[in-house]
Each structure stands twice: as structure tokens, then as C-alpha cells.
């Protein structure tokens, strides 16, 4: 199946959003970006990948953050270390990378407020992947080899961080269904079931809807 769509996936930790996005991109034969987006943002901006990784999906911490990473964020092309980047500036550079990637053709992008950055594109489909907390905790226990209590605390903290990041930069609510085109419960459908559901959504969107 071919598509001309740009598809963004926001996801709760442990819901399987990364795996779903990767499977979807493989099925649609289009590029996939998750952490790869940070590499691309670094390449396009000339700043180090470590700077983007340190600020990844974290709301602004501005000056304190800049001091904490300071001289590590610049590449050899940027020798003036007084030019600190804040999280806000890194977000803007990451947004530029997202727009450029989407402008090159259909793709799947996970997280990083991509649905908001690309909100004016007519070919965009934004998806939110979620699952019940207990299901996500069990998944993280297995993936990270954590106790139930530690996994639960990790999931809750990560969700809060992602929500704060999204809310801060978009002015929308990360957890509200109306922030996205579609919401998929991967806990009920499973990884492959959720991927197939999104694939069907893409197919129907490509066909277009008949007028009433």
C-alpha cells in the first residue's frame, strides 16, 4: 500500500508507539523518524546531537539548562561557547527539521510535537497511541527489567514529562482526544492490531470521504 500522507504518532510510555510507528512505516514503505529526528535536527542545525538528546521532549528550562550542557552542545563549527542554546531554541531548530522532513514526502514521525508543527498541512494524519496504565507498566517491567513499583513510577513520570512538553509548546492538552485526528488503544488491539488499524485509517483517508 502506498500513501502520500505524513503521519504523526504521539504516545504514552509503554503503549508501543515506537514499535507501531516503525511497523507502519515498513508496511507503507515510507521513512520512519523517532530518535532519528534528533540526528537530522543536529545535522541541519550544525549543533551536536547530544544537545538535542538532553532537551528531548522536555519543556523549557532556559538559562539553567544552557549552563548545564554549555560547552558540550557546540560542534567544532561553533567555537564561541558563550552562544548557549535554550530548550526553546532547540525546539525551534527541531521544528525546522520536522518541516523539512515532511516537505520531502510521506513519512511517519513519532513525538516531538510534530502534529502541532505540521498542523497546517492538508496531508497530515495525527494519531495518539494509548493503553491502560497496568498494561504499560507490565510492558516497561519486561523491557527495562524493573520492579512493578519502579516501572509504575517511571511510566507516570514519563507521561507527565511528555504531557508538560506538549502542553508547553502547543498550548493544547496532550491527553485530550480532540488534540488529534484519531486515538488508538494499543492495549486492546496489541502492537500489530494497532498498526493495522492505523494502516486502514490511512487507506480510508487516501480514498477521501463521499459528500453527504
Amino acid at each position: 500500500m502506498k500513501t502520500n500522507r505524513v503521519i504523526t504518532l504521539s504516545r504514552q510510555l509503554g503503549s508501543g508507539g515506537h514499535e507501531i510507528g516503525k511497523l507502519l512505516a515498513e508496511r507503507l514503505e515510507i521513512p520512519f523518524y523517532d530518535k532519528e529526528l534528533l540526528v537530522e535536527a543536529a545535522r541541519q542545525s550544525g549543533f551536536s546531537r547530544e544537545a538535542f538528546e538532553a532537551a528531548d521532549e522536555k519543556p523549557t528550562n532556559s538559562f539553567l539548562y544552557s549552563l548545564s550542557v554549555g560547552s558540550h552542545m557546540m560542534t567544532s563549527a561553533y567555537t564561541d561557547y558563550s552562544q548557549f542554546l535554550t530548550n526553546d531554541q532547540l525546539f525551534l531548530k527541531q521544528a525546522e527539521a520536522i518541516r523539512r522532513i515532511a516537505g520531502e514526502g510521506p513519512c511517519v514521525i513519532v513525538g516531538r510535537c510534530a502534529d502541532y508543527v505540521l498542523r497546517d498541512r492538508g496531508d497530515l494524519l495525527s494519531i495518539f497511541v494509548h493503553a491502560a496504565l497496568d498494561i504499560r507498566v507490565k510492558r516497561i517491567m519486561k523491557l527495562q527489567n524493573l520492579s512493578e513499583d519502579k516501572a509504575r513510577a517511571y511510566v507516570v513520570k514519563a507521561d507527565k514529562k511528555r504531557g508538560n512538553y506538549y502542553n508547553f509548546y502547543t498550548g493544547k492538552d496532550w491527553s485530550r482526544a480532540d488534540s488529534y485526528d484519531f486515538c488508538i488503544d494499543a492495549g486492546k488491539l496489541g502492537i500489530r492490531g494497532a498498526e493495522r488499524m492505523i494502516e486502514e485509517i490511512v487507506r480510508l483517508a487516501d480514498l477521501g470521504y463521499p459528500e453527504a
Side-chain angles (χ1 to χ4, degrees):
M1 172 181 161
K2 298 290 185 179
T3 183
N4 292 319
R5 295 279 174 179
V6 173
I7 303 154
T8 61
L9 295 183
S10 295
R11 73 284 184 230
Q12 293 178 321
L13 184 71
S15 65
H18 174 89
E19 291 82 356
I20 292 166
K22 192 172 181 64
L23 279 173
L24 179 67
E26 290 172 357
R27 294 273 296 181
L28 298 177
E29 299 180 6
I30 58 178
F32 171 76
Y33 296 92
D34 189 342
K35 291 290 186 181
E36 297 87 351
L37 182 60
L38 305 182
V39 177
E40 185 65 17
R43 185 188 68 80
Q44 292 182 16
S45 67
F47 294 101
S48 74
R49 183 179 66 185
E50 289 76 14
F52 288 94
E53 289 176 343
D56 190 25
E57 295 192 306
K58 296 183 180 72
T60 185
N61 198 20
S62 294
F63 184 64
L64 290 177
Y65 166 77
S66 298
L67 289 178
S68 72
V69 294
S71 61
H72 300 294
M73 68 168 51
M74 302 297 187
T75 63
S76 59
Y78 291 83
T79 56
D80 182 1
Y81 295 126
S82 65
Q83 299 177 23
F84 296 131
L85 282 174
T86 65
N87 285 29
D88 293 342
Q89 290 169 314
L90 288 167
F91 176 82
L92 292 175
K93 292 183 179 298
Q94 183 174 264
E96 290 175 5
I98 289 171
R99 293 189 188 97
R100 183 172 298 181
I101 286 168
E104 293 173 353
C107 58
V108 175
I109 303 176
V110 175
R112 284 101 196 163
C113 301
D115 60 295
Y116 180 78
V117 172
L118 302 174
R119 63 192 182 279
D120 294 328
R121 293 185 64 98
D123 59 355
L124 176 69
L125 279 178
S126 62
I127 313 288
F128 184 73
V129 180
H130 62 99
L133 179 59
D134 286 346
I135 292 174
R136 295 188 290 124
V137 168
K138 289 178 181 178
R139 192 160 192 271
I140 292 300
M141 287 173 63
K142 182 178 180 180
L143 290 174
Q144 302 289 339
N145 194 27
L146 296 174
S147 68
E148 183 174 354
D149 288 344
K150 288 184 178 180
R152 188 175 299 273
Y154 179 50
V155 168
V156 170
K157 184 178 180 179
D159 281 352
K160 183 176 181 180
K161 184 191 77 170
R162 287 179 180 177
N164 288 342
Y165 173 85
Y166 185 89
N167 300 348
F168 182 87
Y169 285 113
T170 70
K172 300 196 299 179
D173 190 331
W174 180 70
S175 61
R176 283 180 60 99
D178 59 5
S179 294
Y180 311 94
D181 294 325
F182 299 94
C183 295
I184 302 293
D185 189 336
K188 294 186 181 298
L189 296 172
I191 300 297
R192 292 193 177 277
E195 182 278 319
R196 294 304 296 269
M197 175 67 76
I198 297 172
E199 187 180 346
E200 182 65 9
I201 288 171
V202 173
R203 187 186 70 81
L204 290 172
D206 286 347
L207 287 174
Y209 298 96
E211 294 183 3

